[in-house]
Amino acid sequence: MTTTPNPPDSTDPRPAAETAPPQYPQQPPAYPTGPTQPSAPPAYPGPVQQTPPPAYPQPPAQHAAPPVPPQSPPRPQPAIPPQPTIPAPLHAHHISTDQRRVYLKAHQRHADATALGSLLIYLPHFLSSLVVVSLVSLLVLGDLAFLGILGWLLTGLLIFHRPTESTLARRLLGLRHPTREEFSRLAPVWQEVTARAGVDAQNYELWIEENDTDLNAVAAAGHIVGVTTFALNRLPNGELAAVLAHELGHHVGGHAWASLLGYWYALPARLAYRVIRFLALVTLRVAAFFSVLGFLVIALFLGLFAFATLTTLYGLPLLILAAPYALAAVGRRAELRADQHAAALGFAPMLASVLHQMHGADQAAKQQAALAARAAGTQLPKESAIAKLLATHPDHHTRLHHLQPWLQPQPPR
């Protein structure tokens, strides 16, 4: 289909050929191109082709891994409760030291028969000391001798004085205050013992004896309770409580203060006896050196002096000779009473275990001494009857025998 040109305008005076529009070329002129493109870089050798690994036989289709299902968001896992920890088994003689209500007794101390017997046995020593102190006071103070006697009598109250007790514990008994770790172990056990006894634990002071070989404890003066480091570190708390309950029995029964008070008031008489004995031996040796006659004269004079002393004091000095045996017997009885006090608080099985350990230690020590004596070609001397009478503690068999009523199972009520 051709295009019909528009009709010429009748008003244009120019001919039709002149009024036709000029014809333009259909293709655009060719313009010069840009700079010549650089030649391509030379071809470098490519990387060496790795030989493919050999094809291994594929598993059969029935053994092929199942298709992996599409991943789904993980589900929250339930929290696994922690496994309960099984505590270590407690010792058979372990006791609970949890705090509880404590009922204190109205009368926490008394003087039992053994304490009164100890004071009675010390009576001859006391009277002899009173004579010695009176003579010294007359020589030194003259008319004011009663002040010296009164002052000496009042010194007996120092055994209940806390600073004096501390000095006694350090200087004479070789004790020390417990460390923080020792006190943290000792205090709960002591609280349990005093709670069972109905006694105020604050009335007593706990001390430590630095001894890692002996299982021992001590009750002294009015408020001292000491225990060895061996007993503190080696015994379970139930057996340690039994040892402390035994020492508390000495305090509750008055054994500790009675024995110390009697010993204190007997010191002047003992010192005077040692001085007189020393002077008498020196005088006899000097008299024997010069002549036999002089020795006989001095011996006769000393005999008359001793006889006059005995008659003046109504024979009381003779009782002093028997006092060590009587005091040892009373001491053995006091140990049995202290054992009964610990057993009554529920520590009989623990105390029996401690006594078995002490017996075993004594037997081992005797065997070692026997082996040493055999190696030296000698024999150990047997214990004499006098040594047994002077023993302040009963043997372990006797103590275990007296504990038997507390160890027997009680019939149900």
Side-chain angles (χ1 to χ4, degrees):
M1 175 177 162
T2 58
T3 306
T4 303
N6 295 327
D9 192 357
S10 59
T11 59
D12 190 354
R14 289 178 303 178
E18 292 180 1
T19 59
Q23 299 292 325
Y24 293 97
Q26 299 295 326
Q27 299 293 335
Y31 292 98
T33 60
T36 307
Q37 296 294 331
S39 60
Y44 292 96
V48 180
Q49 296 294 331
Q50 299 291 336
T51 31
Y56 293 97
Q58 297 297 326
Q62 60 270 21
H63 296 291
V68 180
Q71 296 290 335
S72 60
R75 297 180 179 178
Q77 298 293 333
I80 300 176
Q83 296 294 332
T85 56
I86 301 176
L90 299 176
H91 194 275
H93 291 158
H94 179 82
I95 61 172
S96 174
T97 56
D98 297 337
Q99 295 184 359
R100 63 180 189 274
R101 186 183 298 273
V102 178
Y103 298 94
L104 301 180
K105 295 180 179 179
H107 302 283
Q108 300 181 11
R109 288 192 181 204
H110 62 278
D112 59 15
T114 54
L116 297 177
S118 177
L119 294 176
L120 184 62
I121 294 171
Y122 272 116
L123 182 60
H125 296 78
F126 169 76
L127 295 177
S128 301
S129 297
L130 182 60
V131 172
V132 173
V133 172
S134 300
L135 293 176
V136 173
S137 299
L138 285 172
L139 293 176
V140 176
L141 300 177
D143 296 337
L144 300 178
F146 69 94
L147 294 179
I149 298 173
L150 182 61
W152 173 69
L153 293 175
L154 293 177
T155 56
L157 300 178
L158 292 176
I159 66 172
F160 301 102
H161 186 234
R162 293 298 182 95
T164 305
E165 286 185 346
S166 299
T167 303
L168 174 67
R170 290 191 184 94
R171 303 299 181 183
L172 297 183
L173 301 179
L175 304 179
R176 61 171 175 82
H177 285 295
T179 62
R180 181 175 300 179
E181 292 77 10
E182 291 171 340
F183 187 78
S184 64
R185 170 170 168 76
L186 190 59
V189 181
W190 178 245
Q191 291 284 348
E192 176 64 21
V193 171
T194 54
R196 294 191 185 189
V199 174
D200 188 1
Q202 303 300 324
N203 289 337
Y204 300 92
E205 294 184 6
L206 299 174
W207 294 77
I208 300 295
E209 179 184 352
E210 198 69 36
N211 190 334
D212 293 329
T213 58
D214 293 336
L215 198 168
N216 197 14
V218 62
H223 310 92
I224 295 176
V225 177
V227 65
T228 60
T229 52
F230 180 91
L232 178 63
N233 299 325
R234 303 291 182 86
L235 295 180
N237 67 345
E239 296 180 3
L240 178 61
V243 173
L244 294 176
H246 173 90
E247 302 306 328
L248 180 62
H250 285 307
H251 278 298
V252 170
H255 310 156
W257 67 262
S259 60
L260 183 58
L261 187 65
Y263 177 82
W264 174 255
Y265 282 131
L267 277 178
R270 291 181 175 181
L271 293 176
Y273 171 75
R274 291 181 180 181
V275 171
I276 293 174
R277 181 183 177 185
F278 174 77
L279 294 177
L281 291 176
V282 170
T283 304
L284 289 175
R285 289 182 180 181
V286 171
F289 178 78
F290 287 103
S291 64
V292 177
L293 181 60
F295 175 79
L296 294 176
V297 171
I298 296 298
L300 179 61
F301 173 77
L302 293 176
L304 292 175
F305 176 78
F307 179 77
T309 303
L310 292 175
T311 54
T312 303
L313 298 178
Y314 302 99
L316 289 177
L318 291 177
L319 298 178
I320 297 178
L321 301 177
Y325 303 96
L327 288 174
V330 171
R332 292 192 295 269
R333 185 61 184 172
E335 293 298 323
L336 295 178
R337 284 185 174 269
D339 286 348
Q340 293 175 3
H341 178 268
L345 298 181
F347 299 114
M350 297 79 164
L351 185 58
S353 176
V354 172
L355 292 176
H356 280 296
Q357 296 180 46
M358 296 174 67
H359 177 68
D362 290 346
Q363 292 299 112
K366 290 180 180 179
Q367 290 178 359
Q368 291 181 358
L371 291 176
R374 187 179 302 174
T378 60
Q379 292 183 353
L380 288 177
K382 294 183 179 181
E383 187 178 9
S384 63
I386 296 179
K388 292 181 179 180
L389 292 175
L390 291 175
T392 58
H393 286 65
D395 58 85
H396 300 108
H397 293 291
T398 303
R399 297 177 68 176
L400 288 170
H401 173 72
H402 283 80
L403 281 178
Q404 288 304 314
W406 304 95
L407 298 174
Q408 300 297 332
Q410 299 295 328
R413 296 182 179 179

